Amino acid sequence: STWLRTKVSGVRIFSRTWKKDFESLFSRDLGSFYYIKKGGTGMIQDIAPMKFHNEYQQRECRDTDIVFLFSGNKLLVKKDSKISFFYMKEFTKELTKETEQEADGFGNKRLQYLFSIDDVQYYLLKVWSKEEAEKEVEKQLDEQVDRQSKKQNDNIENMEWVTIRSLRETVSKKDCFAAATAYHLYVWYRDNRYCGRCGKKLQPDTKERMMRCACCGNMVYPKIAPAVIVGVIYDNKILMTKYSDREYKKYALIAGFTEIGETAEETVHREVMEEVGLKVKDIVYYKSQPWGFDSNLLMGFYARVEGTDAITLDKNELSLAEWVPREQVAGMDDKISLTREMMENFYKNGEKCLQ
């Protein structure tokens, strides 16, 4: 593609030379790619040497594949000495029979293929309400009793609902990425069962990741909301914030969604001004990150304060915004989020982040 040729040829983008700064690994035959910035610690999506394959293909489910069952913002997991996901073989056999006998395009009345990591395939059990999810759990438990096969499926008794965000601290990076990406697709499939143009039921397309209306021809693609993360720098200090009305209570950076007709750089200027009343200049692109928890594509930037560093706090958005000296930002990287990596990167490199 043009994008890949641009990346490999080293054309400057946002004043950075991608060929110089990145080690790029991609597989043309499988249509997948990922990159790891040299010297970086990696984020949730950096799972090399494992490979993430998001191509939309028809797959035959196997006993060793993973099945996700969501209910709102919660995921059904096995919880024993550690949290793990359910294999296809741990669900009722009727589930896989429906895949073979009742398929309608890609997926069926019960299962939807999502993606694979290496040779492990991940599926979504298409259940959309809390009541349906609870019935599905009861069905699985009843099936175990009827078959009297606890030795083969004793993990089914240790099932538990956990919030999707809690997985950031309880499972491996690969599993966290898989669950977040599956949740991103679950929300999209759940919210796009009917056509927004004519009201008829949508069906999965057979060639690409898209829901199609057979009645009016409407095509609905996965929702991906672009947003920026901004490391605002002044006199070897970085501006750190805390949200006012969110579950996440740790330090964050300035962040916000890109609006209609707006470039990512314009979003940086606007969000910084709206949230803390500061003007910025010397905007430099850092990295991007898929963030399935909120259906986002995050784009990280650093920027230098222009003029005064006096903060005017938007209390509707933030409960705190303060300048933190570089030496006090150590140990922030959680190896998961772009925000935390940007904090750690500032600790290591200071104002060199603006070069």
Side-chain angles (χ1 to χ4, degrees), residues 200-222:
K200 301 295 183 180
K201 192 171 183 179
L202 296 173
Q203 297 293 334
D205 188 67
T206 58
K207 295 181 180 179
E208 57 182 327
R209 181 82 63 186
M210 177 254 287
M211 300 295 286
R212 182 187 294 274
C213 180
C215 181
C216 69
N218 188 22
M219 298 180 292
V220 183
Y221 290 89

Side-chain angles (χ1 to χ4, degrees), residues 267-286:
T267 306
V268 170
H269 283 288
R270 178 180 54 77
E271 286 291 342
V272 176
M273 176 57 68
E274 288 179 354
E275 295 191 0
V276 291
L278 295 173
K279 293 182 178 181
V280 292
K281 60 181 180 180
D282 302 334
I283 297 174
V284 177
Y285 174 76
Y286 175 62

Side-chain angles (χ1 to χ4, degrees), residues 123-350:
Y123 288 83
L124 173 68
L125 181 53
K126 295 191 284 189
V127 173
W128 311 123
S129 69
K130 181 180 180 181
E131 292 74 21
E132 286 179 301
E134 290 175 349
K135 287 181 180 179
E136 188 63 44
V137 171
E138 292 177 3
K139 179 180 178 181
Q140 298 302 323
L141 288 172
D142 290 343
E143 181 72 14
Q144 299 310 311
V145 173
D146 292 342
R147 289 192 296 176
Q148 297 181 349
S149 56
K150 290 184 178 180
K151 288 185 179 181
Q152 295 179 359
N153 278 314
D154 56 346
N155 280 325
I156 203 78
E157 296 185 336
N158 299 325
M159 63 176 63
E160 181 175 328
W161 292 103
V162 298
T163 61
I164 189 69
R165 290 184 182 277
S166 69
L167 297 177
R168 292 178 61 174
E169 300 177 355
T170 56
V171 300
S172 68
K173 182 187 293 186
K174 183 261 292 182
D175 284 349
C176 186
F177 175 62
T181 306
Y183 179 71
H184 187 166
L185 286 168
Y186 155 73
V187 170
W188 175 67
Y189 279 118
R190 181 197 65 192
D191 296 348
N192 291 279
R193 288 175 285 160
Y194 297 92
C195 179
R197 183 186 297 168
C198 72
K200 301 295 183 180
K201 192 171 183 179
L202 296 173
Q203 297 293 334
D205 188 67
T206 58
K207 295 181 180 179
E208 57 182 327
R209 181 82 63 186
M210 177 254 287
M211 300 295 286
R212 182 187 294 274
C213 180
C215 181
C216 69
N218 188 22
M219 298 180 292
V220 183
Y221 290 89
K223 171 187 173 183
I224 302 175
V228 301
I229 307 292
V230 191
V232 183
I233 297 173
Y234 179 82
D235 193 23
N236 215 30
K237 294 177 286 189
I238 191 167
L239 185 65
M240 299 180 69
T241 67
K242 290 187 177 181
Y243 299 118
S244 64
D245 59 352
R246 299 189 192 181
E247 180 182 345
Y248 187 80
K249 300 301 181 183
K250 296 180 180 180
Y251 272 118
L253 300 176
I254 296 293
F257 292 102
T258 299
E259 299 290 351
I260 293 295
E262 188 175 58
T263 67
E265 293 86 349
E266 288 170 340
T267 306
V268 170
H269 283 288
R270 178 180 54 77
E271 286 291 342
V272 176
M273 176 57 68
E274 288 179 354
E275 295 191 0
V276 291
L278 295 173
K279 293 182 178 181
V280 292
K281 60 181 180 180
D282 302 334
I283 297 174
V284 177
Y285 174 76
Y286 175 62
K287 283 186 184 181
S288 65
Q289 175 181 41
W291 194 246
F293 299 104
D294 298 305
S295 304
N296 296 149
L297 174 62
L298 303 177
M299 297 168 282
F301 295 85
Y302 290 103
R304 191 191 309 274
V305 170
E306 181 177 12
T308 178
D309 66 333
I311 297 170
T312 302
L313 188 68
D314 180 357
K315 294 183 180 180
N316 292 321
E317 293 285 337
L318 304 174
S319 63
L320 174 71
E322 60 183 358
W323 293 107
V324 180
R326 175 182 173 184
E327 60 272 14
Q328 295 180 21
V329 190
M332 293 290 184
D333 191 6
D334 61 1
K335 310 297 188 294
I336 295 292
S337 73
L338 174 61
T339 296
R340 309 297 286 188
E341 183 177 301
M342 288 178 66
M343 292 176 182
E344 187 73 10
N345 186 53
F346 174 73
Y347 168 70
K348 294 179 178 178
N349 297 299

